[in-house]
Amino acid sequence: MAEPEFIPAESNQNKPQGADSARNLAIIVYILQGLAFFLGGITALVGVIINYVKMDEVRGTWIEPHFRWQIRTFWIGLLWLVIGTLTLMVIIGWFILLGMAIWVIYRIVKGALALNDGKAPE
């Protein structure tokens, strides 16, 4: 019985050289955003700085929507963190912080899954 011929799934020759590094950056930022829950948020700040510094390199690629998604997640999450913290004395602050945490986790997971599928987050 003859062995099946090996056919590579994707050829790196068809991809632009910077696509893999931009994708890796997006993965790193998703990881940094997730680690922010355990490390006091500093990693999310590092991630959004990476997004802003590298935005010109990903402009016009399929990675750009991920960078925008990550930036928006950071700023909206920070806004609700501040609002939740300011309203902690009133019981509603706890619910705001819980909702914000769930929303940020959802955005990280949804964005990372879309990145893994090679799609823009929606």
Side-chain angles (χ1 to χ4, degrees), residues 5 19 28 35 56 59 73 84:
E5 181 181 338
I28 289 168
L35 288 174
D56 288 339
R59 198 168 312 277
T73 300

Side-chain angles (χ1 to χ4, degrees), residues 34-43:
L35 288 174
F37 285 99
F38 306 103
L39 300 175
I42 192 72
T43 56

